[in-house]
Amino acid sequence: AQRVTQPEKLLSVFKGAPVELKCNYSYSGSPELFWYVQYSRQRLQLLLRHISRESIKGFTADLNKGETSFHLKKPFAQEEDSAMYYCALGQGGSEKLVFGKGTKLTVNP
Amino acid sequence: SQTIHQWPATLVQPVGSPLSLECTVEGTSNPNLYWYRQAAGRGLQLLFYSVGIGQISSEVPQNLSASRPQDRQFILSSKKLLLSDSGFYLCAWGRGITEAFFGQGTRLTVV
């Protein structure tokens, strides 16, 4: 079965500190992984996708198939990074897209 | 450009009453459509998704149903609401699974 696990409900760091939001998945096929973000009073939106290998707003995420992980990282957190972050797993073909339970990141001044 | 409309924004309904939440997409054709329920501590739970008119995949057995009568219209329904149906419902569309675009959501309170 397709499953996404985000073990941390809450994560709090200070401005300038590194941040890592964990995501693990279980899927028997070839996974497509995403990170979505929801800022306060805004719509949920795509942050980045593994296939693009891009850095968005200083965030990166590497797909580790051996560990079935897709952790989101940023070397120096900013206050404006405070938001709810969701890891998502897509299943091409069936077009199913499932999300983890989310991690609320708070960056303190 | 593409836009997604979801209404109403808030809804208070008595137990046992019917439900109809509507979601429409503009500016694209043959999108994937999704209904999610967002709850604190439970994240985004996929309820239904659709890859075409009349094609509905249900993920969670429940008191709800979904329909897609037109290419860019996705409806979430219930014949008789339960207290446990209260929550925040999100509609989304996507071209494949490459990126999903979310509506503003509907806050449903069943009383």
Side-chain angles (χ1 to χ4, degrees):
Chain A
Q2 206 173 353
R3 186 180 299 165
V4 178
T5 303
Q6 292 180 251
E8 303 141 328
K9 289 185 180 179
L10 303 171
L11 184 61
S12 184
V13 301
F14 286 103
K15 177 182 174 181
V19 62
E20 180 180 64
L21 291 89
K22 291 185 169 53
C23 173
N24 289 90
Y25 67 91
S26 62
Y27 179 51
S28 58
S30 183
E32 295 195 45
L33 277 299
F34 310 86
W35 276 99
Y36 281 75
V37 61
Q38 188 170 28
Y39 300 104
S40 178
R41 299 181 183 178
Q42 293 189 28
R43 298 189 188 195
L44 189 62
Q45 60 188 290
L46 178 68
L47 178 63
L48 55 80
R49 54 177 77 93
H50 93 270
I51 198 168
S52 300
R53 292 182 164 273
E54 56 200 345
S55 174
I56 304 294
K57 298 183 178 182
F59 284 98
T60 59
D62 292 319
L63 177 60
N64 186 323
K65 292 188 178 181
E67 296 182 357
T68 60
S69 67
F70 188 57
H71 303 326
L72 183 68
K73 300 178 183 179
K74 184 169 183 177
F76 308 103
Q78 303 300 313
E79 289 181 68
E80 55 265 30
D81 296 328
S82 295
M84 193 75 181
Y85 291 81
Y86 291 93
C87 183
L89 170 63
Q91 181 179 349
S94 74
E95 306 304 295
K96 185 175 172 180
L97 184 63
V98 296
F99 286 76
K101 293 186 177 182
T103 297
K104 184 176 181 181
L105 174 65
T106 301
V107 181
N108 300 299
Chain B
S1 63
Q2 301 85 14
T3 55
I4 179 169
H5 302 282
Q6 190 180 339
W7 69 91
T10 59
L11 187 61
V12 180
Q13 292 283 100
V15 169
S17 64
L19 172 73
S20 181
L21 301 181
E22 189 162 344
C23 173
T24 59
V25 181
E26 296 177 358
T28 188
S29 60
N30 197 32
N32 290 345
L33 294 172
Y34 304 87
W35 277 112
Y36 292 90
R37 180 162 52 203
Q38 187 178 33
R42 301 186 65 180
L44 274 172
Q45 183 184 33
L46 177 62
L47 302 176
F48 303 94
Y49 65 101
S50 171
V51 300
I53 297 175
Q55 300 178 60
I56 308 296
S57 296
S58 175
E59 287 300 298
V60 183
Q62 57 206 323
N63 187 40
L64 302 169
S65 63
S67 62
R68 185 171 178 172
Q70 300 180 44
D71 181 44
R72 288 169 289 180
Q73 184 184 29
F74 205 24
I75 298 172
L76 184 69
S77 304
S78 173
K79 292 182 179 178
K80 289 185 178 182
L81 283 168
L82 306 172
L83 286 174
S84 57
D85 292 324
S86 294
F88 191 67
Y89 291 85
L90 282 168
C91 180
W93 76 271
R95 284 191 214 90
I97 56 173
T98 304
E99 181 170 358
F101 298 90
F102 284 82
Q104 288 192 309
T106 296
R107 172 73 61 189
L108 171 66
T109 303
V110 183
V111 297

